[in-house]
Amino acid sequence: MHSPVDSNSDAPGLDLDRPLPLRRLVYLEEADEVTIGSPETDTYAVFPADGAELVRMLADGLTPHEAAERYRTAHGESVDIADLVEVLADLDLLRPADTPTAETAPVRWQRLGGLVFGRPALVGYALLTVLAAVEMVRVPALVPRTDNLFFTTSYTLVVLLLFFGQAPLLALHEAFHALAGRRLGLRSRLSVGHRLVYLVLETSLDGLVSVPRRKRYLPVLAGMLADVLAIAVLTLVADVTRGGAATVARLCLAIAYATVLRLAWQGFFYLRTDLYVLLSTALGCVNLHAAAVDVLRNTGRRFTGRPPVDLEVHHPVDRRVARWYSWLMVVGYAFTLTMFAGVVVPTAYRLLHDVWLRMTGQGSTAARLDSIVLLLLSLAQTAAVVVLAVRERRAARRPAPARTA
């Protein structure tokens, strides 16, 4: 934050001799850094301690020039106060002119979040999971396996039922993230995205950076907790119904296996999964993924003789952790290949082999129609991912709108 630039430089559009119209700010001090943001806009940024000191002065009503002078008196150094003001404007931490401070509306579902993640509920979740694990040991047929996916001879029915069966579980996964955050008074946003060739739902909890680190772990892990609970409940339902309602049991086991695959997906560290967020949170990282990618890129560049990427642009903690986390990303790639060889290839081979037999006249008309619908559904999912990827690329290239304070 220290700068040799004189404090009398002007920020365009702002009078540095008048107090700034700052939004209501929150501060979280960690080591020699302070996270500052506003619940009004859900925008947050990490400031060095001296920068946070200046922001607090401005929030207390000092004009930018007064804050810069007080800082110079206290530390014996000048500061580019106009640059700081511009940063605050870019973060949307300044209210528009003549707009009063907004009252932050209470967070909805906060009480529900407290009930869902209260101690009695967590004890119940643990007992349910243990009971399901015991039943899997007692009845090996309940253990998740690839064959469980093919609970019917209609592949279209398999795809549709798994899709519509997974949809509420995906929503439950994200709802657990959101409720765990709202329990802490944090707002959330749900969006649709993609990872590789798969459509995914994503919950944004931007305000999570404004709470103490020990309170962030539950919101991060809540989605995986929902997956484990779904697997446990589906397994127990299958156990109860496998005698008299075999179709229900087979369907439950199929959905449970698909959920196990989603849970295993958390090991794909290069995709910034929940486990990645957990590690980043525990280690105090800012953008570990970007730093680890650059470390891997430099490893490749050493073999090709190209100049290395500058790692100094990354946060010091990110650089330190990326030295070993980059290899964990390699493990994630290896795990992906293992899952591909052990699950995707056998499943795809079975589907394509049977579709080929049906389409070449070795199946009934209904079977051929079933295969055609299956292919169309697969193409539709791929097309949806492509459309989302194109939109994200266009949005990334679009210039950000100008902000006025």
Side-chain angles (χ1 to χ4, degrees), residues 306-323:
R306 291 182 294 170
V309 176
D310 183 15
L311 298 180
E312 293 299 318
V313 299
H314 299 292
H315 192 278
V317 175
D318 290 344
R319 293 200 305 269
R320 185 175 67 251
V321 176
R323 294 191 186 101

Side-chain angles (χ1 to χ4, degrees), residues 210-281:
S210 67
V211 300
R213 191 177 303 174
R214 61 184 176 80
K215 293 184 178 181
R216 302 177 200 172
Y217 298 128
L218 183 56
V220 171
L221 292 171
M224 288 189 288
L225 172 61
D227 293 338
V228 170
L229 289 176
I231 294 168
V233 170
L234 288 166
T235 299
L236 293 175
V237 172
D239 187 33
V240 172
T241 58
R242 60 192 172 90
T247 301
V248 174
R250 289 196 299 269
L251 178 59
C252 286
L253 291 177
I255 298 175
Y257 180 71
T259 308
V260 168
L261 294 182
R262 269 199 302 110
L263 192 58
W265 190 357
Q266 300 297 335
F268 299 174
F269 295 101
Y270 56 92
L271 292 180
R272 286 179 279 193
T273 61
D274 291 348
L275 286 181
Y276 161 80
V277 177
L278 177 66
L279 280 173
S280 295
T281 301

Side-chain angles (χ1 to χ4, degrees), residues 99-375:
T99 302
T101 302
E103 290 292 333
T104 304
V107 177
R108 298 178 62 191
W109 312 114
Q110 188 169 0
R111 181 175 296 181
L112 177 60
L115 292 174
V116 171
F117 294 102
R119 183 166 298 180
L122 294 177
V123 171
Y125 300 157
L127 292 175
L128 196 64
T129 303
V130 170
L131 179 59
V134 169
E135 284 302 292
M136 288 183 192
V137 173
R138 193 179 68 85
V139 185
L142 298 175
V143 176
R145 53 175 56 86
T146 304
D147 287 343
N148 290 346
L149 291 176
F150 301 98
F151 59 91
T152 176
T153 57
S154 171
Y155 293 154
T156 297
L157 193 58
V158 168
V159 171
L160 289 177
L161 287 182
L162 286 180
F163 175 81
F164 288 108
Q166 281 295 300
L169 297 184
L170 283 169
L172 179 67
H173 178 107
E174 301 305 327
F176 262 50
H177 279 307
L179 286 174
R182 289 179 180 245
R183 169 176 167 267
L184 302 175
L186 305 176
R187 288 175 172 75
S188 58
R189 297 191 308 274
L190 183 65
S191 60
V192 179
H194 69 93
R195 293 289 186 271
L196 294 181
V197 295
Y198 303 101
L199 294 174
V200 296
L201 295 176
E202 299 172 322
T203 298
S204 298
L205 288 169
D206 297 333
L208 199 60
V209 298
S210 67
V211 300
R213 191 177 303 174
R214 61 184 176 80
K215 293 184 178 181
R216 302 177 200 172
Y217 298 128
L218 183 56
V220 171
L221 292 171
M224 288 189 288
L225 172 61
D227 293 338
V228 170
L229 289 176
I231 294 168
V233 170
L234 288 166
T235 299
L236 293 175
V237 172
D239 187 33
V240 172
T241 58
R242 60 192 172 90
T247 301
V248 174
R250 289 196 299 269
L251 178 59
C252 286
L253 291 177
I255 298 175
Y257 180 71
T259 308
V260 168
L261 294 182
R262 269 199 302 110
L263 192 58
W265 190 357
Q266 300 297 335
F268 299 174
F269 295 101
Y270 56 92
L271 292 180
R272 286 179 279 193
T273 61
D274 291 348
L275 286 181
Y276 161 80
V277 177
L278 177 66
L279 280 173
S280 295
T281 301
L283 299 172
C285 297
V286 177
N287 191 350
L288 176 59
H289 179 83
V293 167
D294 281 347
V295 168
L296 288 178
R297 188 175 295 151
N298 281 348
T299 301
R301 285 172 175 257
R302 281 198 294 270
F303 288 104
T304 59
R306 291 182 294 170
V309 176
D310 183 15
L311 298 180
E312 293 299 318
V313 299
H314 299 292
H315 192 278
V317 175
D318 290 344
R319 293 200 305 269
R320 185 175 67 251
V321 176
R323 294 191 186 101
W324 60 264
Y325 182 81
S326 59
W327 296 108
L328 194 57
M329 291 178 69
V330 174
V331 172
Y333 283 113
F335 182 49
T336 301
L337 292 175
T338 301
M339 292 286 291
F340 183 81
V343 177
V344 177
V345 170
T347 303
Y349 174 78
R350 177 170 176 175
L351 285 173
L352 293 175
H353 179 263
D354 288 357
V355 167
W356 172 259
L357 292 179
R358 291 175 175 184
M359 299 300 291
T360 54
Q362 300 185 40
S364 64
T365 301
R368 286 195 290 274
L369 288 175
D370 179 69
S371 300
I372 292 172
V373 173
L374 172 66
L375 293 174

